């Protein structure tokens, strides 16, 4: 296997048990990633930085013991036995989780809905050009919007596919109507064919920015996510995405920003919808239908 480019963490598929091996092998081939030893303890899996764990139908991204917080591995520190307990928890996509149900009622959703133009009589069609873990997309779909989720990082896109499939298979009446409104496009939003992208009213952007959540657990989760994605983001990447979005035939573009951040690409929005920690900058091009 060729060496990883500098800065890019090394990743492998890890089958939790023997039954998970076929699924892990299939995904490893699809994502062009190596396989770690089946059943290995991620904490002791020191050949890789991050493992994508396949366990039954679920996928979870887990930091290994290779680089512990503070920069030294468990081995460097003389660690023994199972090291996973000392690591940040795994990241997976479960649209039916309590956290997602809680999100439904949070004030953040009202702001997001207002920013994209949801009203009692209107459910705009959204292109979420930076889908990530799909949380904002799910919130929008839960409000009744049709959402196309674009995710260019193949590992995250595979997790989204799995999360959507699991939700569709769940038979959960709360989840199904929302998840049926979500359609995944695994690739760079800018490469979508125009018939697909032309069928939307709003482009939504949530470019990566430093963790803003107060919960330590979420901070750790986002740190892993950022570690995976940061090396891919070229300087000016988010700015270029906004310029692309502004050139599309849509009614509005909405950009999520930390509440005190400057405008992305120094582009002044038509208006902003601000909460305590997050702000949505809205670029209105025409009235929503
Ligand atoms: C901060 S995360 C988005 C989090 C998301 N709003 C959520 O609720 O989970 C940004 C994501 O956008 C993706 N991304 C950035 N630029 C992209 C592009 N041009 N096309 C598709 N995905 C992109 C990154 O890979 C990353 O997963």
């Amino acid at each position: 296997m060729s060496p990883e480019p500098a800065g890019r963490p090394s990743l492998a598929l890890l089958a939790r048990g023997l039954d998970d091996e076929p699924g892990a092998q299939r995904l490893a081939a699809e994502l062009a990633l190596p396989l770690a030893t089946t059943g290995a303890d991620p904490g002791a899996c020191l050949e890789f930085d991050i493992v994508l764990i396949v366990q039954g139908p679920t996928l979870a991204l887990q930091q290994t013991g290779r680089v512990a917080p503070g920069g030294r591995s468990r081995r460097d520190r003389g660690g023994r036995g199972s090291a996973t307990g000392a690591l940040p928890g795994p990241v997976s996509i479960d649209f039916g989780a309590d956290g997602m149900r809680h999100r439904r009622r949070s004030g953040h959703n009202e702001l997001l809905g207002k920013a994209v133009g949801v009203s009692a009589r209107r459910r705009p069609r959204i292109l979420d050009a930076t889908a990530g873990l799909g949380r904002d997309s799910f919130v929008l779909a839960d409000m009744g919007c049709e959402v196309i989720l674009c995710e260019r990082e193949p590992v995250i896109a595979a997790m989204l596919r799995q999360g959507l499939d699991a939700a569709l298979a769940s038979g959960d009446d709360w989840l199904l109507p929302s998840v049926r409104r979500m359609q995944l496009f695994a690739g760079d939003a800018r490469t979508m064919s125009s018939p697909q992208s032309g069928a939307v009213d709003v482009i939504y952007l949530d470019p990566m920015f430093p963790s803003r959540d107060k919960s330590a657990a979420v901070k750790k989760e986002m740190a892993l996510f950022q570690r995976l994605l940061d090396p891919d983001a070229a300087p000016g990447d988010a700015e270029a995405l906004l310029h692309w979005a502004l050139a599309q035939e849509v009614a509005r573009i909405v950009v999520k920003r930390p509440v005190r951040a400057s405008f992305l690409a120094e582009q002044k929005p038509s208006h902003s919808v601000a909460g305590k920690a997050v702000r949505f900058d809205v670029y209105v091009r025409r009235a929503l239908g």
Side-chain angles (χ1 to χ4, degrees), residues 103 108 128-138 149-153 156 160 185 187-191 204-209 212 222 225-226 229 232-233 237-238 241 244 256:
R103 248 171 195 255
H108 168 87
D128 181 351
T130 54
L133 299 176
R135 294 165 297 193
D136 289 332
S137 280
F138 181 78
L149 296 83
C150 290
E151 177 49 54
R152 69 176 174 189
E153 166 53 50
I156 308 290
L160 276 172
F185 173 80
D188 193 303
R190 290 165 289 186
T191 65
Y204 175 67
L205 305 179
D206 174 15
M208 193 67 99
F209 56 82
R212 61 253 171 180
M222 287 317 289
F225 193 56
Q226 282 174 345
L229 299 172
D232 286 342
D237 201 38
L241 191 57
W244 165 82
K256 186 183 196 175

Side-chain angles (χ1 to χ4, degrees), residues 42 68 96 115 118 139 145 181 199 213 215 237 253:
V118 169
V139 163
C145 301
R181 287 190 278 270
D213 205 300
S215 132
D237 201 38
I253 296 101

